[in-house]
Amino acid sequence: MSTEPTPKRPRTNPTYELLYHPSIPGRGEFVRLAFEAASIPYNDVANNDKKGYSVVQAACSPKSTGDADGNPPAFAPPALRVPGAGKDGKTLLIYQTPNILMYLGPHLGLAPEDEAERLWVNQNMLTALDLNNEAHDTHHPVAVMQYYEDQKEEALKKAKDFRENRIPKYFSFFERVLKGNEESGQGKYLIGNKLTYADTTLWQVMDGLHFAFPKEIEARSKDYPLLFGTFYPNIKEEKHLKEYLASDRRLPYSMGIFRHYPELDRQ
Amino acid sequence: MSTEPTPKRPRTNPTYELLYHPSIPGRGEFVRLAFEAASIPYNDVANNDKKGYSVVQAACSPKSTGDADGNPPAFAPPALRVPGAGKDGKTLLIYQTPNILMYLGPHLGLAPEDEAERLWVNQNMLTALDLNNEAHDTHHPVAVMQYYEDQKEEALKKAKDFRENRIPKYFSFFERVLKGNEESGQGKYLIGNKLTYADTTLWQVMDGLHFAFPKEIEARSKDYPLLFGTFYPNIKEEKHLKEYLASDRRLPYSMGIFRHYPELDRQ
């Protein structure tokens, strides 16, 4: 008799394809972390294949009215392709980070069975992504397609408000979510007693904020003991995530959503 | 034998409670439109009862770690309470506009049966809400809690980029979604051949943009014939929505997400 543990999930998972920009973590990282946390294989198309980015660009083309599999157009990456999961067994194409995470959650074992808990996970993911978007806007408060240097004065004002008002508002909220779930989640999980895509999403935003605003985060972290003392370090130690974060699949922060401009950090 | 048509939905709908700020359409309007389009009763707590806003404030209190029904805290309105739909038959409380719409969609008959179509509806709702958020940020590019007058210079720059780059990017996208679905949706529906919460959500954003940027929308509308020639007027004529829009339940725009500052519009 084999002593091998039975695989937790069937081997019939489709080959998920993540369509995102190459070389940066960006919003694709929320999807990557879900796959990695679940240890489910995925093809990070633009990073794994030199010609991969053309697939991403075609899927999000500003001329597209849909693809050959009957999928409607995608506004922007990240998008997800799932062979066999579309209409009549065709390839499904979906986009929008919250939509992708909501879809993947149950497939990857990162969403609770209970419907109420599932909705709570989803709302916490959405709020973590709102914080992510506000972090992005600190360096691009005026125009996403213009250079930071051309909106630096506005960025200084926006970053000040973000640090002084928005960061404490969000951190206080997530500290209270952890507190309210402490009996079940022990400060390690936002909802229930197992890792969900709300946890991986919030963790990634916190990690990016450490990179972008190191002084601000250092100064604030003591005010949120569950969030910074238990939740953040614990997620890093989750078995598969620990391996991933040490691997070269984990892309470094650079000039994406999270950017370290010292002048935007606490002075 | 009665000639009465059988009711499309059972009479056992719970009394849905919408928790939102009183007197403004805001993000609550996306939820209101879903109920109204489906002709399902709901209690707009802060508008229907003088003491109602205290219920909203309690649900989103910055001190809360959860409520007596076991629901985790809510970050901000809108929130939705559904008696009987929570754990052990308690009251469910959820928040985040996209989460509420995703939950209500199937209950209100505003989401397709097909899983792929349901995901497409969801992603289009999310993109319409992104446009909504960008419209808000035109008058508050620096700090959400400061006065417009204190960020007017930045708002002029942000609004220019929004009008010249963001509006055409989003409108082109939704025009292409309608085009790709034209055989089934006839330009009237984004996905499939029936009204969904993606349609009501996009419609509300377009309507708000008409109020906030009348000159810009007037100038652009001819470039998107399905969107402005078919989709936008058709949704207004949907039976229940037409009644709602003529009723006093439809709150006027004022100083919420959509604001008409002539200096931010096309000059």
Side-chain angles (χ1 to χ4, degrees), chain A residues 62 64 71 87 95-96 99 102 117 119-120 122-123 127 130 141-142 154 157-158 173 176, chain B residues 61-62 64 71 87 95-96 99 102 117 119-120 122-123 127 130 141 154 157-158 173 176:
Chain A
S64 170
N71 295 287
K87 286 204 171 195
Y95 79 101
Q96 271 277 4
N99 197 48
M102 182 198 73
E117 290 192 4
L119 291 160
W120 299 336
N122 206 55
Q123 68 196 15
T127 300
D130 283 348
V142 171
E154 295 85 357
K157 291 185 192 179
K158 178 88 169 177
F173 172 73
R176 288 183 286 112
Chain B
S61 159
S64 169
N71 294 288
K87 286 207 171 190
Y95 79 101
Q96 271 278 1
N99 197 48
M102 179 198 75
E117 289 193 5
L119 292 160
W120 299 335
N122 206 54
Q123 68 197 13
T127 301
D130 283 349
E154 295 85 357
K157 292 185 191 178
K158 179 85 170 180
F173 172 74
R176 289 183 284 110

mmCIF file of all heavy atoms in Angstrom, chain A residues 62 64 71 87 95-96 99 102 117 119-120 122-123 127 130 141-142 154 157-158 173 176, chain B residues 61-62 64 71 87 95-96 99 102 117 119-120 122-123 127 130 141 154 157-158 173 176:
data_model
loop_
_atom_site.group_PDB
_atom_site.id
_atom_site.type_symbol
_atom_site.label_atom_id
_atom_site.label_comp_id
_atom_site.label_asym_id
_atom_site.label_seq_id
_atom_site.Cartn_x
_atom_site.Cartn_y
_atom_site.Cartn_z
ATOM 1 N N PRO A 62 -7.603 47.125 -28.531
ATOM 2 C CA PRO A 62 -8.606 48.199 -28.579
ATOM 3 C C PRO A 62 -9.480 48.179 -29.836
ATOM 4 O O PRO A 62 -10.277 49.087 -30.052
ATOM 5 C CB PRO A 62 -7.760 49.478 -28.511
ATOM 6 C CG PRO A 62 -6.412 49.081 -28.984
ATOM 7 C CD PRO A 62 -6.239 47.630 -28.648
ATOM 8 N N SER A 64 -10.885 44.932 -30.701
ATOM 9 C CA SER A 64 -11.601 43.663 -30.619
ATOM 10 C C SER A 64 -13.073 43.828 -30.270
ATOM 11 O O SER A 64 -13.450 44.641 -29.430
ATOM 12 C CB SER A 64 -10.943 42.781 -29.550
ATOM 13 O OG SER A 64 -11.751 41.649 -29.282
ATOM 14 N N ASN A 71 -16.003 34.756 -26.778
ATOM 15 C CA ASN A 71 -15.845 35.592 -25.590
ATOM 16 C C ASN A 71 -15.904 37.067 -25.964
ATOM 17 O O ASN A 71 -15.295 37.473 -26.965
ATOM 18 C CB ASN A 71 -14.491 35.318 -24.923
ATOM 19 C CG ASN A 71 -14.373 33.918 -24.387
ATOM 20 O OD1 ASN A 71 -14.991 33.593 -23.371
ATOM 21 N ND2 ASN A 71 -13.604 33.075 -25.071
ATOM 22 N N LYS A 87 -18.254 28.322 -23.439
ATOM 23 C CA LYS A 87 -19.483 27.779 -24.015
ATOM 24 C C LYS A 87 -19.166 26.611 -24.939
ATOM 25 O O LYS A 87 -18.219 26.685 -25.729
ATOM 26 C CB LYS A 87 -20.175 28.881 -24.824
ATOM 27 C CG LYS A 87 -20.830 29.901 -23.923
ATOM 28 C CD LYS A 87 -21.964 30.587 -24.683
ATOM 29 C CE LYS A 87 -22.764 31.442 -23.749
ATOM 30 N NZ LYS A 87 -24.034 31.842 -24.323
ATOM 31 N N TYR A 95 -11.887 38.692 -17.633
ATOM 32 C CA TYR A 95 -10.921 39.672 -17.162
ATOM 33 C C TYR A 95 -11.505 40.369 -15.939
ATOM 34 O O TYR A 95 -12.576 40.013 -15.472
ATOM 35 C CB TYR A 95 -10.562 40.676 -18.277
ATOM 36 C CG TYR A 95 -11.591 41.749 -18.494
ATOM 37 C CD1 TYR A 95 -11.410 43.020 -17.973
ATOM 38 C CD2 TYR A 95 -12.775 41.479 -19.175
ATOM 39 C CE1 TYR A 95 -12.376 44.015 -18.145
ATOM 40 C CE2 TYR A 95 -13.734 42.463 -19.343
ATOM 41 C CZ TYR A 95 -13.531 43.720 -18.831
ATOM 42 O OH TYR A 95 -14.489 44.674 -18.979
ATOM 43 N N GLN A 96 -10.812 41.373 -15.463
ATOM 44 C CA GLN A 96 -11.062 42.129 -14.216
ATOM 45 C C GLN A 96 -10.561 41.289 -13.034
ATOM 46 O O GLN A 96 -11.119 40.220 -12.718
ATOM 47 C CB GLN A 96 -12.560 42.475 -14.024
ATOM 48 C CG GLN A 96 -12.950 43.793 -14.657
ATOM 49 C CD GLN A 96 -12.645 45.016 -13.777
ATOM 50 O OE1 GLN A 96 -12.062 44.914 -12.696
ATOM 51 N NE2 GLN A 96 -13.027 46.190 -14.279
ATOM 52 N N ASN A 99 -13.055 39.711 -10.731
ATOM 53 C CA ASN A 99 -13.839 38.666 -11.390
ATOM 54 C C ASN A 99 -13.021 37.376 -11.499
ATOM 55 O O ASN A 99 -13.537 36.272 -11.277
ATOM 56 C CB ASN A 99 -14.235 39.168 -12.787
ATOM 57 C CG ASN A 99 -15.364 38.378 -13.421
ATOM 58 O OD1 ASN A 99 -16.381 38.119 -12.784
ATOM 59 N ND2 ASN A 99 -15.173 37.998 -14.677
ATOM 60 N N MET A 102 -12.713 35.846 -7.971
ATOM 61 C CA MET A 102 -13.986 35.264 -7.563
ATOM 62 C C MET A 102 -14.224 33.930 -8.268
ATOM 63 O O MET A 102 -14.688 32.971 -7.659
ATOM 64 C CB MET A 102 -15.119 36.224 -7.892
ATOM 65 C CG MET A 102 -16.474 35.724 -7.471
ATOM 66 S SD MET A 102 -17.788 36.627 -8.321
ATOM 67 C CE MET A 102 -17.663 35.959 -9.987
ATOM 68 N N GLU A 117 -19.889 33.294 4.094
ATOM 69 C CA GLU A 117 -18.439 33.476 4.211
ATOM 70 C C GLU A 117 -17.811 33.805 2.853
ATOM 71 O O GLU A 117 -16.865 34.577 2.755
ATOM 72 C CB GLU A 117 -17.777 32.222 4.790
ATOM 73 C CG GLU A 117 -18.098 32.006 6.257
ATOM 74 C CD GLU A 117 -17.213 30.935 6.892
ATOM 75 O OE1 GLU A 117 -16.295 30.410 6.219
ATOM 76 O OE2 GLU A 117 -17.452 30.607 8.070
ATOM 77 N N LEU A 119 -19.176 35.444 0.418
ATOM 78 C CA LEU A 119 -19.448 36.858 0.119
ATOM 79 C C LEU A 119 -18.542 37.774 0.948
ATOM 80 O O LEU A 119 -18.087 38.810 0.472
ATOM 81 C CB LEU A 119 -20.917 37.167 0.381
ATOM 82 C CG LEU A 119 -21.904 36.502 -0.587
ATOM 83 C CD1 LEU A 119 -23.309 36.458 0.002
ATOM 84 C CD2 LEU A 119 -21.910 37.242 -1.929
ATOM 85 N N TRP A 120 -18.294 37.388 2.183
ATOM 86 C CA TRP A 120 -17.410 38.197 3.039
ATOM 87 C C TRP A 120 -15.978 38.183 2.501
ATOM 88 O O TRP A 120 -15.279 39.191 2.542
ATOM 89 C CB TRP A 120 -17.430 37.679 4.484
ATOM 90 C CG TRP A 120 -18.772 37.722 5.149
ATOM 91 C CD1 TRP A 120 -19.823 38.545 4.834
ATOM 92 C CD2 TRP A 120 -19.230 36.898 6.236
ATOM 93 N NE1 TRP A 120 -20.888 38.292 5.667
ATOM 94 C CE2 TRP A 120 -20.568 37.291 6.532
ATOM 95 C CE3 TRP A 120 -18.658 35.886 6.984
ATOM 96 C CZ2 TRP A 120 -21.314 36.688 7.546
ATOM 97 C CZ3 TRP A 120 -19.399 35.292 8.004
ATOM 98 C CH2 TRP A 120 -20.712 35.676 8.271
ATOM 99 N N ASN A 122 -15.200 37.829 -0.585
ATOM 100 C CA ASN A 122 -15.197 38.637 -1.806
ATOM 101 C C ASN A 122 -15.146 40.131 -1.502
ATOM 102 O O ASN A 122 -14.422 40.897 -2.145
ATOM 103 C CB ASN A 122 -16.451 38.294 -2.621
ATOM 104 C CG ASN A 122 -16.261 38.538 -4.100
ATOM 105 O OD1 ASN A 122 -15.327 38.013 -4.715
ATOM 106 N ND2 ASN A 122 -17.117 39.350 -4.678
ATOM 107 N N GLN A 123 -15.900 40.577 -0.503
ATOM 108 C CA GLN A 123 -15.917 42.013 -0.195
ATOM 109 C C GLN A 123 -14.574 42.473 0.381
ATOM 110 O O GLN A 123 -14.137 43.603 0.117
ATOM 111 C CB GLN A 123 -17.078 42.353 0.746
ATOM 112 C CG GLN A 123 -16.961 41.805 2.161
ATOM 113 C CD GLN A 123 -18.285 41.825 2.920
ATOM 114 O OE1 GLN A 123 -19.348 41.996 2.336
ATOM 115 N NE2 GLN A 123 -18.240 41.641 4.244
ATOM 116 N N THR A 127 -12.063 45.350 -1.175
ATOM 117 C CA THR A 127 -11.567 46.490 -0.406
ATOM 118 C C THR A 127 -10.035 46.536 -0.434
ATOM 119 O O THR A 127 -9.444 47.619 -0.525
ATOM 120 C CB THR A 127 -12.122 46.430 1.029
ATOM 121 O OG1 THR A 127 -13.552 46.464 0.949
ATOM 122 C CG2 THR A 127 -11.645 47.613 1.864
ATOM 123 N N ASP A 130 -9.195 48.102 -3.633
ATOM 124 C CA ASP A 130 -9.393 49.557 -3.598
ATOM 125 C C ASP A 130 -8.157 50.243 -3.006
ATOM 126 O O ASP A 130 -7.718 51.289 -3.503
ATOM 127 C CB ASP A 130 -10.631 49.911 -2.760
ATOM 128 C CG ASP A 130 -11.945 49.656 -3.491
ATOM 129 O OD1 ASP A 130 -11.916 49.416 -4.709
ATOM 130 O OD2 ASP A 130 -13.005 49.709 -2.823
ATOM 131 N N PRO A 141 -1.725 60.812 -9.872
ATOM 132 C CA PRO A 141 -3.022 61.377 -9.483
ATOM 133 C C PRO A 141 -3.759 62.076 -10.626
ATOM 134 O O PRO A 141 -4.969 62.253 -10.539
ATOM 135 C CB PRO A 141 -2.653 62.391 -8.396
ATOM 136 C CG PRO A 141 -1.258 62.790 -8.718
ATOM 137 C CD PRO A 141 -0.602 61.560 -9.295
ATOM 138 N N VAL A 142 -3.051 62.465 -11.673
ATOM 139 C CA VAL A 142 -3.684 63.260 -12.735
ATOM 140 C C VAL A 142 -3.998 62.420 -13.970
ATOM 141 O O VAL A 142 -5.124 62.428 -14.459
ATOM 142 C CB VAL A 142 -2.802 64.469 -13.123
ATOM 143 C CG1 VAL A 142 -3.345 65.156 -14.378
ATOM 144 C CG2 VAL A 142 -2.714 65.446 -11.959
ATOM 145 N N GLU A 154 1.339 67.279 -7.776
ATOM 146 C CA GLU A 154 0.054 66.706 -7.374
ATOM 147 C C GLU A 154 0.264 65.404 -6.595
ATOM 148 O O GLU A 154 -0.469 65.105 -5.643
ATOM 149 C CB GLU A 154 -0.815 66.442 -8.605
ATOM 150 C CG GLU A 154 -1.239 67.691 -9.366
ATOM 151 C CD GLU A 154 -0.203 68.183 -10.388
ATOM 152 O OE1 GLU A 154 0.892 67.570 -10.480
ATOM 153 O OE2 GLU A 154 -0.496 69.167 -11.093
ATOM 154 N N LYS A 157 0.970 65.923 -2.895
ATOM 155 C CA LYS A 157 -0.253 66.193 -2.117
ATOM 156 C C LYS A 157 -1.080 64.931 -1.918
ATOM 157 O O LYS A 157 -1.598 64.653 -0.840
ATOM 158 C CB LYS A 157 -1.118 67.237 -2.837
ATOM 159 C CG LYS A 157 -0.530 68.632 -2.864
ATOM 160 C CD LYS A 157 -1.534 69.596 -3.499
ATOM 161 C CE LYS A 157 -0.898 70.921 -3.825
ATOM 162 N NZ LYS A 157 -1.885 71.837 -4.468
ATOM 163 N N LYS A 158 -1.229 64.186 -3.020
ATOM 164 C CA LYS A 158 -2.032 62.960 -2.960
ATOM 165 C C LYS A 158 -1.400 61.947 -1.995
ATOM 166 O O LYS A 158 -2.107 61.305 -1.205
ATOM 167 C CB LYS A 158 -2.133 62.351 -4.359
ATOM 168 C CG LYS A 158 -2.902 61.052 -4.451
ATOM 169 C CD LYS A 158 -4.354 61.300 -4.649
ATOM 170 C CE LYS A 158 -5.139 60.052 -5.004
ATOM 171 N NZ LYS A 158 -6.559 60.370 -5.120
ATOM 172 N N PHE A 173 -9.548 49.193 9.460
ATOM 173 C CA PHE A 173 -10.629 48.295 9.038
ATOM 174 C C PHE A 173 -10.170 46.834 9.046
ATOM 175 O O PHE A 173 -10.826 45.962 9.637
ATOM 176 C CB PHE A 173 -11.136 48.685 7.649
ATOM 177 C CG PHE A 173 -12.107 47.689 7.094
ATOM 178 C CD1 PHE A 173 -13.398 47.606 7.590
ATOM 179 C CD2 PHE A 173 -11.724 46.797 6.103
ATOM 180 C CE1 PHE A 173 -14.292 46.657 7.109
ATOM 181 C CE2 PHE A 173 -12.605 45.850 5.615
ATOM 182 C CZ PHE A 173 -13.894 45.784 6.120
ATOM 183 N N ARG A 176 -9.760 45.352 12.378
ATOM 184 C CA ARG A 176 -11.039 45.000 13.003
ATOM 185 C C ARG A 176 -11.646 43.730 12.398
ATOM 186 O O ARG A 176 -12.301 42.953 13.090
ATOM 187 C CB ARG A 176 -12.005 46.192 12.902
ATOM 188 C CG ARG A 176 -11.612 47.331 13.843
ATOM 189 C CD ARG A 176 -12.586 48.493 13.809
ATOM 190 N NE ARG A 176 -12.482 49.304 12.611
ATOM 191 C CZ ARG A 176 -13.408 49.397 11.648
ATOM 192 N NH1 ARG A 176 -14.514 48.675 11.718
ATOM 193 N NH2 ARG A 176 -13.230 50.176 10.603
ATOM 194 N N SER B 61 -19.600 51.439 11.162
ATOM 195 C CA SER B 61 -18.885 52.171 12.210
ATOM 196 C C SER B 61 -17.386 51.900 12.168
ATOM 197 O O SER B 61 -16.951 50.755 12.020
ATOM 198 C CB SER B 61 -19.418 51.734 13.580
ATOM 199 O OG SER B 61 -18.470 52.028 14.575
ATOM 200 N N PRO B 62 -16.584 52.951 12.344
ATOM 201 C CA PRO B 62 -15.128 52.758 12.353
ATOM 202 C C PRO B 62 -14.607 52.096 13.635
ATOM 203 O O PRO B 62 -13.399 51.987 13.818
ATOM 204 C CB PRO B 62 -14.587 54.186 12.207
ATOM 205 C CG PRO B 62 -15.671 55.083 12.657
ATOM 206 C CD PRO B 62 -16.964 54.372 12.385
ATOM 207 N N SER B 64 -16.419 49.131 14.669
ATOM 208 C CA SER B 64 -17.046 47.799 14.668
ATOM 209 C C SER B 64 -16.058 46.680 14.350
ATOM 210 O O SER B 64 -15.191 46.806 13.489
ATOM 211 C CB SER B 64 -18.169 47.771 13.619
ATOM 212 O OG SER B 64 -18.624 46.446 13.416
ATOM 213 N N ASN B 71 -21.837 38.891 11.339
ATOM 214 C CA ASN B 71 -21.276 39.448 10.106
ATOM 215 C C ASN B 71 -20.028 40.273 10.413
ATOM 216 O O ASN B 71 -20.030 41.047 11.375
ATOM 217 C CB ASN B 71 -22.303 40.370 9.436
ATOM 218 C CG ASN B 71 -23.526 39.623 8.950
ATOM 219 O OD1 ASN B 71 -23.456 38.892 7.973
ATOM 220 N ND2 ASN B 71 -24.649 39.773 9.655
ATOM 221 N N LYS B 87 -25.853 33.175 8.359
ATOM 222 C CA LYS B 87 -25.580 31.883 8.992
ATOM 223 C C LYS B 87 -26.699 31.518 9.956
ATOM 224 O O LYS B 87 -27.174 32.366 10.709
ATOM 225 C CB LYS B 87 -24.266 31.985 9.767
ATOM 226 C CG LYS B 87 -23.060 32.009 8.852
ATOM 227 C CD LYS B 87 -21.852 31.453 9.588
ATOM 228 C CE LYS B 87 -20.704 31.275 8.626
ATOM 229 N NZ LYS B 87 -19.604 30.519 9.234
ATOM 230 N N TYR B 95 -21.219 44.083 1.945
ATOM 231 C CA TYR B 95 -20.993 45.412 1.407
ATOM 232 C C TYR B 95 -20.128 45.284 0.160
ATOM 233 O O TYR B 95 -19.837 44.192 -0.293
ATOM 234 C CB TYR B 95 -20.359 46.339 2.471
ATOM 235 C CG TYR B 95 -18.884 46.127 2.664
ATOM 236 C CD1 TYR B 95 -17.971 46.993 2.073
ATOM 237 C CD2 TYR B 95 -18.398 45.054 3.398
ATOM 238 C CE1 TYR B 95 -16.613 46.799 2.220
ATOM 239 C CE2 TYR B 95 -17.046 44.853 3.547
ATOM 240 C CZ TYR B 95 -16.145 45.732 2.955
ATOM 241 O OH TYR B 95 -14.807 45.523 3.095
ATOM 242 N N GLN B 96 -19.722 46.431 -0.380
ATOM 243 C CA GLN B 96 -18.994 46.589 -1.646
ATOM 244 C C GLN B 96 -19.990 46.458 -2.808
ATOM 245 O O GLN B 96 -20.551 45.376 -3.055
ATOM 246 C CB GLN B 96 -17.860 45.561 -1.825
ATOM 247 C CG GLN B 96 -16.519 46.003 -1.251
ATOM 248 C CD GLN B 96 -15.708 46.934 -2.183
ATOM 249 O OE1 GLN B 96 -16.150 47.281 -3.291
ATOM 250 N NE2 GLN B 96 -14.540 47.348 -1.733
ATOM 251 N N ASN B 99 -19.914 43.415 -4.977
ATOM 252 C CA ASN B 99 -20.287 42.198 -4.253
ATOM 253 C C ASN B 99 -21.801 42.112 -4.093
ATOM 254 O O ASN B 99 -22.403 41.050 -4.277
ATOM 255 C CB ASN B 99 -19.611 42.229 -2.868
ATOM 256 C CG ASN B 99 -19.578 40.886 -2.175
ATOM 257 O OD1 ASN B 99 -19.197 39.878 -2.779
ATOM 258 N ND2 ASN B 99 -19.965 40.859 -0.908
ATOM 259 N N MET B 102 -23.303 41.326 -7.557
ATOM 260 C CA MET B 102 -23.060 39.931 -7.914
ATOM 261 C C MET B 102 -23.999 39.001 -7.138
ATOM 262 O O MET B 102 -24.531 38.032 -7.691
ATOM 263 C CB MET B 102 -21.603 39.578 -7.616
ATOM 264 C CG MET B 102 -21.262 38.148 -7.935
ATOM 265 S SD MET B 102 -19.721 37.650 -7.104
ATOM 266 C CE MET B 102 -20.299 37.446 -5.417
ATOM 267 N N GLU B 117 -21.526 33.459 -19.321
ATOM 268 C CA GLU B 117 -22.223 34.737 -19.479
ATOM 269 C C GLU B 117 -22.288 35.498 -18.164
ATOM 270 O O GLU B 117 -22.197 36.723 -18.127
ATOM 271 C CB GLU B 117 -23.638 34.516 -20.019
ATOM 272 C CG GLU B 117 -23.663 34.074 -21.473
ATOM 273 C CD GLU B 117 -25.069 34.156 -22.082
ATOM 274 O OE1 GLU B 117 -25.990 34.640 -21.393
ATOM 275 O OE2 GLU B 117 -25.226 33.719 -23.229
ATOM 276 N N LEU B 119 -20.100 35.444 -15.774
ATOM 277 C CA LEU B 119 -18.792 36.060 -15.533
ATOM 278 C C LEU B 119 -18.593 37.285 -16.428
ATOM 279 O O LEU B 119 -17.988 38.278 -16.018
ATOM 280 C CB LEU B 119 -17.686 35.031 -15.765
ATOM 281 C CG LEU B 119 -17.634 33.894 -14.741
ATOM 282 C CD1 LEU B 119 -16.862 32.696 -15.293
ATOM 283 C CD2 LEU B 119 -17.010 34.366 -13.435
ATOM 284 N N TRP B 120 -19.070 37.208 -17.642
ATOM 285 C CA TRP B 120 -18.944 38.358 -18.556
ATOM 286 C C TRP B 120 -19.773 39.546 -18.056
ATOM 287 O O TRP B 120 -19.357 40.696 -18.170
ATOM 288 C CB TRP B 120 -19.387 37.962 -19.978
ATOM 289 C CG TRP B 120 -18.589 36.870 -20.599
ATOM 290 C CD1 TRP B 120 -17.291 36.515 -20.302
ATOM 291 C CD2 TRP B 120 -19.017 35.971 -21.639
ATOM 292 N NE1 TRP B 120 -16.902 35.458 -21.082
ATOM 293 C CE2 TRP B 120 -17.938 35.105 -21.913
ATOM 294 C CE3 TRP B 120 -20.198 35.804 -22.351
ATOM 295 C CZ2 TRP B 120 -18.016 34.099 -22.887
ATOM 296 C CZ3 TRP B 120 -20.275 34.804 -23.323
ATOM 297 C CH2 TRP B 120 -19.198 33.964 -23.577
ATOM 298 N N ASN B 122 -20.445 40.115 -14.965
ATOM 299 C CA ASN B 122 -19.748 40.631 -13.786
ATOM 300 C C ASN B 122 -18.564 41.522 -14.164
ATOM 301 O O ASN B 122 -18.340 42.582 -13.582
ATOM 302 C CB ASN B 122 -19.290 39.438 -12.929
ATOM 303 C CG ASN B 122 -19.141 39.803 -11.477
ATOM 304 O OD1 ASN B 122 -20.077 40.321 -10.853
ATOM 305 N ND2 ASN B 122 -17.956 39.592 -10.932
ATOM 306 N N GLN B 123 -17.787 41.114 -15.156
ATOM 307 C CA GLN B 123 -16.614 41.911 -15.535
ATOM 308 C C GLN B 123 -17.031 43.246 -16.170
ATOM 309 O O GLN B 123 -16.357 44.264 -15.962
ATOM 310 C CB GLN B 123 -15.693 41.126 -16.474
ATOM 311 C CG GLN B 123 -16.239 40.835 -17.854
ATOM 312 C CD GLN B 123 -15.481 39.732 -18.592
ATOM 313 O OE1 GLN B 123 -14.688 39.001 -17.989
ATOM 314 N NE2 GLN B 123 -15.708 39.599 -19.890
ATOM 315 N N THR B 127 -16.097 47.029 -14.795
ATOM 316 C CA THR B 127 -15.467 48.060 -15.628
ATOM 317 C C THR B 127 -16.308 49.340 -15.638
ATOM 318 O O THR B 127 -15.762 50.448 -15.607
ATOM 319 C CB THR B 127 -15.228 47.506 -17.045
ATOM 320 O OG1 THR B 127 -14.377 46.356 -16.935
ATOM 321 C CG2 THR B 127 -14.553 48.544 -17.940
ATOM 322 N N ASP B 130 -15.467 51.079 -12.535
ATOM 323 C CA ASP B 130 -14.158 51.753 -12.640
ATOM 324 C C ASP B 130 -14.326 53.123 -13.293
ATOM 325 O O ASP B 130 -13.713 54.108 -12.857
ATOM 326 C CB ASP B 130 -13.180 50.913 -13.466
ATOM 327 C CG ASP B 130 -12.612 49.726 -12.692
ATOM 328 O OD1 ASP B 130 -12.795 49.659 -11.453
ATOM 329 O OD2 ASP B 130 -11.980 48.856 -13.326
ATOM 330 N N PRO B 141 -9.283 64.796 -7.070
ATOM 331 C CA PRO B 141 -8.075 64.046 -7.451
ATOM 332 C C PRO B 141 -7.047 63.903 -6.332
ATOM 333 O O PRO B 141 -6.212 63.014 -6.389
ATOM 334 C CB PRO B 141 -7.498 64.884 -8.606
ATOM 335 C CG PRO B 141 -7.972 66.265 -8.328
ATOM 336 C CD PRO B 141 -9.338 66.113 -7.695
ATOM 337 N N GLU B 154 -5.843 70.916 -9.539
ATOM 338 C CA GLU B 154 -5.567 69.520 -9.882
ATOM 339 C C GLU B 154 -6.770 68.907 -10.604
ATOM 340 O O GLU B 154 -6.607 68.082 -11.512
ATOM 341 C CB GLU B 154 -5.247 68.714 -8.617
ATOM 342 C CG GLU B 154 -3.969 69.140 -7.895
ATOM 343 C CD GLU B 154 -4.167 70.315 -6.925
ATOM 344 O OE1 GLU B 154 -5.299 70.850 -6.834
ATOM 345 O OE2 GLU B 154 -3.174 70.688 -6.270
ATOM 346 N N LYS B 157 -6.834 69.623 -14.336
ATOM 347 C CA LYS B 157 -5.925 68.738 -15.091
ATOM 348 C C LYS B 157 -6.482 67.321 -15.205
ATOM 349 O O LYS B 157 -6.423 66.692 -16.264
ATOM 350 C CB LYS B 157 -4.559 68.677 -14.402
ATOM 351 C CG LYS B 157 -3.772 69.969 -14.444
ATOM 352 C CD LYS B 157 -2.394 69.726 -13.848
ATOM 353 C CE LYS B 157 -1.644 71.033 -13.612
ATOM 354 N NZ LYS B 157 -0.328 70.787 -12.986
ATOM 355 N N LYS B 158 -6.985 66.830 -14.082
ATOM 356 C CA LYS B 158 -7.519 65.457 -14.064
ATOM 357 C C LYS B 158 -8.729 65.337 -15.005
ATOM 358 O O LYS B 158 -8.852 64.355 -15.753
ATOM 359 C CB LYS B 158 -7.933 65.102 -12.638
ATOM 360 C CG LYS B 158 -8.537 63.722 -12.445
ATOM 361 C CD LYS B 158 -7.480 62.686 -12.266
ATOM 362 C CE LYS B 158 -8.040 61.342 -11.838
ATOM 363 N NZ LYS B 158 -6.964 60.360 -11.679
ATOM 364 N N PHE B 173 -14.684 50.819 -25.649
ATOM 365 C CA PHE B 173 -14.774 49.443 -25.166
ATOM 366 C C PHE B 173 -16.228 48.966 -25.125
ATOM 367 O O PHE B 173 -16.575 47.909 -25.674
ATOM 368 C CB PHE B 173 -14.131 49.318 -23.787
ATOM 369 C CG PHE B 173 -14.372 47.977 -23.157
ATOM 370 C CD1 PHE B 173 -13.698 46.850 -23.624
ATOM 371 C CD2 PHE B 173 -15.305 47.816 -22.144
ATOM 372 C CE1 PHE B 173 -13.946 45.598 -23.070
ATOM 373 C CE2 PHE B 173 -15.555 46.573 -21.591
ATOM 374 C CZ PHE B 173 -14.872 45.463 -22.052
ATOM 375 N N ARG B 176 -17.764 48.296 -28.389
ATOM 376 C CA ARG B 176 -17.325 47.020 -28.966
ATOM 377 C C ARG B 176 -17.991 45.815 -28.300
ATOM 378 O O ARG B 176 -18.259 44.795 -28.940
ATOM 379 C CB ARG B 176 -15.795 46.914 -28.892
ATOM 380 C CG ARG B 176 -15.114 47.878 -29.880
ATOM 381 C CD ARG B 176 -13.600 47.738 -29.886
ATOM 382 N NE ARG B 176 -12.955 48.347 -28.729
ATOM 383 C CZ ARG B 176 -12.365 47.686 -27.743
ATOM 384 N NH1 ARG B 176 -12.320 46.356 -27.764
ATOM 385 N NH2 ARG B 176 -11.810 48.321 -26.736
#
